[in-house]
């Protein structure tokens, strides 16, 4: 460490030791609003899928409200995740090639346009409406995917050494507010429509229980996602490129010094000679597909990919059990006892309460403790408690379904969510932005995030089928028999335990500069950790 100040660029040292200032918080808000939008867009769809089923798939002779067929349901919820996976890989790579700032603007424009477009539809048959929705949600996901590596990389490269973990975690924590906001908007919209257009419940009059105006509800909710992204576009474009990209990748020391000098309000020496010396240094020119990368970072990349993959299987499939949890405690009554608009209201209320009580607090616990106890400890602890609570719900599952134990069921379910967020859901986002070299940072974060989304797709598609009742006569309409909820939860518990083991492949970057954490050493220093 003694040689670090001597060897490292002054502009990077200035960033590492900078006191927490207004520009840090500005960066958190600007990068965080992208994440706020991501969460809003990804999670708002679950609030309106039941409504889409009633609007487009209710048959006149049916005795219960229409639901989306399995293929349509999984496409509507899953297609954005597929788009996100593709976007993470593509924009992650592009962020290292073209610079963080340029690509950041592209992802935002794509998100705004596709949020609006997903609320529009061409044609009026169920098939054409769903096809349009899926098409635009794929491209919406593609834009969202770019936001993951870019938001994390920008925040890590702007932050100081001491509070970097908290800053990156704070950007990710905006996801909690996005989920909360989607619930609140859906509550307001559905309450307004229910007040304006009175309708009987499905049980009272099936034909009149879905008012034609309800078609606007899902469109308004989905289109609202364009607003937060649009608002931050101006500020995103005003942010200078990160100094680490400008100095270490673009090799323009003068511009890096000017940009950061303005932001930090200090004089910084451009140090062109040092940049030239760095660009001649052969030890830091290895590419992603080289033995040198495998030797230095192969295990790290495996660690970040595997933990994110395993976490997202558990995290996204947990959402599938929400309806059972909510129905069990009476938060969501049987569909026949509500009209279409009331159903949206009840689902939104349940999601908002869960977000408020467990999702949002979990994220902010991570922000508070990540730079004190470190990433590794939080991730290990999170996976451990997720395993414990998942088994505690799964093994005596019948016990929790009894009426007198419903409150305990909700508490256990909320704690699983709490420890996902005060645990691996936040740390898997933070660590890949810290442990890879600047010229590969965005790419490696994109690869790790894409592994996570592959896990989410397994969680959403796989457990949608797996969680079906073993008795074919009791499955949801159109689904084959599965292994049942109890067995599905046991499998998820095992997945969390595996995540705990894979955490040991991930290094601890707490308290290190980015150059130190990524082994991006200056000439004269020895490569190594």
């Amino acid at each position: 460490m003694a040689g670090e100040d001597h060897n490292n660029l002054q502009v990077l040292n200035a960033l590492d030791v900078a006191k927490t200032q207004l520009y840090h918080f500005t960066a958190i808000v600007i990068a965080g609003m992208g994440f706020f939008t991501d969460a809003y867009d990804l999670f708002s769809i679950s609030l309106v899928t039941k409504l889409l089923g009633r609007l487009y798939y209710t048959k006149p002779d049916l005795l219960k409200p229409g639901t989306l067929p399995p293929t349509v349901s999984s496409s509507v919820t899953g297609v954005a995740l597929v788009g996100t996976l593709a976007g993470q890989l593509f924009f992650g790579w592009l962020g290292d090639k073209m610079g963080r700032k340029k690509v950041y603007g592209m992802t935002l424009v794509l998100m705004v346009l596709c949020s609006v477009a997903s609320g529009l539809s061409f044609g009026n048959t169920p098939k054409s409406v769903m096809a349009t929705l899926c098409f635009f949600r794929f491209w919406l996901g593609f834009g969202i995917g770019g936001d993951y590596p870019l938001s994390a990389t920008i925040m890590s490269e702007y932050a100081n050494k001491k509070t970097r973990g908290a800053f990156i975690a704070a950007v990710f924590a905006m996801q909690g507010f996005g989920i909360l906001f989607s619930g609140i908007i859906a509550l307001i919209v559905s309450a307004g429509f229910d007040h304006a257009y009175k309708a009987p419940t499905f049980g009272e009059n099936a034909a009149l229980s879905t008012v034609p105006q309800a078609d606007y509800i899902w469109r308004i909710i989905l289109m609202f996602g364009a607003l937060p992204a649009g608002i931050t576009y101006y500020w995103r474009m005003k942010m200078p490129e990160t100094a680490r990209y400008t100095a270490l990748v673009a090799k323009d020391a003068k511009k890096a010094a000017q940009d950061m000098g303005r932001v930090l309000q200090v004089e910084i020496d451009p140090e062109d000679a040092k940049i030239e010396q760095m660009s001649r240094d052969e030890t830091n020119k290895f590419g992603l597909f080289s033995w040198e990368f495998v030797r230095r970072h192969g295990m790290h990349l495996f660690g970040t990919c595997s933990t994110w993959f395993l976490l997202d299987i558990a995290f996204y499939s947990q959402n599938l059990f929400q309806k059972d949890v909510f129905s069990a405690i009476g938060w969501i009554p049987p569909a026949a006892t509500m009209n279409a608009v009331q159903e949206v209201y009840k689902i939104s209320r349940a999601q908002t309460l869960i977000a408020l009580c467990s999702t949002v607090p979990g994220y902010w616990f991570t922000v508070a403790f990540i730079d004190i106890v470190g990433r590794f400890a939080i991730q290990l602890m999170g996976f451990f408690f997720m395993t414990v609570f998942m088994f505690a719900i799964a093994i005596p599952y019948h016990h929790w379904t009894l009426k007198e134990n419903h409150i305990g069921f909700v508490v256990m379910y909320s704690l699983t969510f709490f420890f996902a967020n005060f645990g691996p859901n936040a740390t898997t986002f933070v660590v890949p932005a810290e442990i890879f070299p600047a010229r590969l940072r965005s790419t490696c974060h994109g690869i790790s995030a894409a592994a996570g989304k592959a896990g989410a797709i397994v969680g959403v598609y796989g457990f949608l089928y797996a969680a079906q009742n073993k008795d074919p006569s009791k499955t949801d309409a159109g689904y084959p028999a599965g292994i049942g909820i109890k067995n599905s939860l046991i499998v998820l518990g095992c997945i969390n335990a595996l995540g705990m083991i894979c955490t040991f492949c991930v290094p601890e970057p707490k308290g290190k500069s980015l150059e130190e954490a990524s082994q991006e050493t200056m000439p004269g220093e020895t490569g190594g950790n």
Side-chain angles (χ1 to χ4, degrees), residues 69-71 74 461-485 488:
T71 48
S74 53
Y461 286 110
F463 283 91
L464 195 62
Y465 288 88
Q468 294 298 324
N469 203 299
K470 290 186 211 171
D471 179 353
S473 64
K474 292 182 183 171
T475 62
D476 292 345
Y479 288 88
I483 58 172
I485 287 191
S488 297

Side-chain angles (χ1 to χ4, degrees), residues 4 16 23 70 82 189 289 302 362 400-401 419 421 430 468 494:
E4 191 192 4
D16 280 337
Y23 90 89
V82 178
V189 174
F289 301 104
F302 169 77
W400 297 118
T401 56
F419 281 107
N421 295 321
V430 173
Q468 294 298 324
C494 297

Side-chain angles (χ1 to χ4, degrees), residues 74-127:
S74 53
S75 298
V76 166
T77 48
V79 74
L81 298 175
V82 178
T84 306
L85 189 154
Q88 285 162 336
L89 293 171
F90 176 72
F91 287 117
W93 167 78
L94 207 60
D96 282 333
K97 287 280 169 280
M98 288 176 62
R100 320 324 186 192
K101 182 187 163 177
K102 264 187 200 156
V103 181
Y104 215 23
M106 289 181 210
T107 63
L108 208 58
V109 170
L110 196 57
M111 280 157 63
V112 171
L113 294 176
C114 294
S115 281
V116 173
S118 57
L120 306 169
S121 52
F122 307 127
N124 51 10
T125 63
K127 211 172 194 174

